Amino acid sequence: MAKAALTPLKDLRFSSHQIPAFGRIPNTSIQKKPLIVYHSAFHLDTSASAVESHLTAVSVVDPQWRYTMYSTSHFHSTTHEVLVIVSGKATLCFGGESNPKRVEPVVGKGDVIVVPAGVAHRLMDDMDGDFSMVGSYPKGKSWDMSYGREGEDEKVRGIEHLSWFSRDPIYGDEGPVLQV
């Protein structure tokens, strides 16, 4: 199996975004941990299998699926999420599409997105028709689906009790998630 080739940490570009609550969507307002995009963390020739093997070896998150992103805004109240783009290019929306402080990055193969629990996200545009990601969650965590609807208040309150990463899911003992 091919080994995943990473951009050296010293050369990694990343962006982080605090997104305020909007309506019933908490976004980053509860834990104050930002949405983080690692730009071109994995080299373009890295396969989905190699990404999954790398994530398993770093042992912070468990890869659980390969798929695109849902086109309906949703968030997870039970876990943070790590998304690695393994094919295609897309415009995503974080924070809720009606939120004036939303973030809409264009992401592509090799990018990594760390989505804190509570941050709404959805696919806006699959630019070349083959957008796919490896979705991973901290070891021992299961994801749920929340939509910012009435009746989800108790689930949302649970976000404050979730622990943040003690190691970076991509780089291990160093990395952007440890700098926030």
Side-chain angles (χ1 to χ4, degrees), residues 39 46 58 94 96 99 125:
H39 304 281
T46 304
V58 173
F94 295 93
N99 184 346
D125 182 24

Side-chain angles (χ1 to χ4, degrees), residues 18-34 74-81 115-121 138 141-149 152-165:
Q18 291 287 348
I19 306 170
F22 185 75
R24 294 181 175 272
I25 301 170
N27 292 314
T28 62
S29 69
I30 295 175
Q31 289 197 338
K32 307 293 190 224
K33 298 297 184 186
H74 66 283
F75 63 91
H76 308 293
S77 68
T78 56
T79 184
H80 309 298
E81 184 172 38
V115 185
V119 174
H121 48 287
K141 294 292 185 180
S142 297
W143 53 276
D144 69 342
M145 295 291 283
S146 299
Y147 301 95
R149 296 180 183 149
E152 294 178 337
D153 298 343
E154 187 173 332
K155 288 172 35 171
V156 168
R157 279 192 292 276
I159 293 171
E160 71 180 292
H161 302 294
L162 295 174
S163 58
W164 188 244
F165 298 93

Side-chain angles (χ1 to χ4, degrees), residues 38 77 131 137 178:
Y38 299 37
S77 68
F131 182 70
Y137 305 89
L178 303 176

Side-chain angles (χ1 to χ4, degrees), residues 1-41:
M1 180 165 299
K3 186 174 165 118
L6 284 176
T7 296
L9 187 55
K10 67 179 181 56
D11 298 327
L12 179 69
R13 286 184 323 99
F14 70 93
S15 53
S16 63
H17 308 273
Q18 291 287 348
I19 306 170
F22 185 75
R24 294 181 175 272
I25 301 170
N27 292 314
T28 62
S29 69
I30 295 175
Q31 289 197 338
K32 307 293 190 224
K33 298 297 184 186
L35 171 77
I36 307 171
V37 180
Y38 299 37
H39 304 281
S40 302

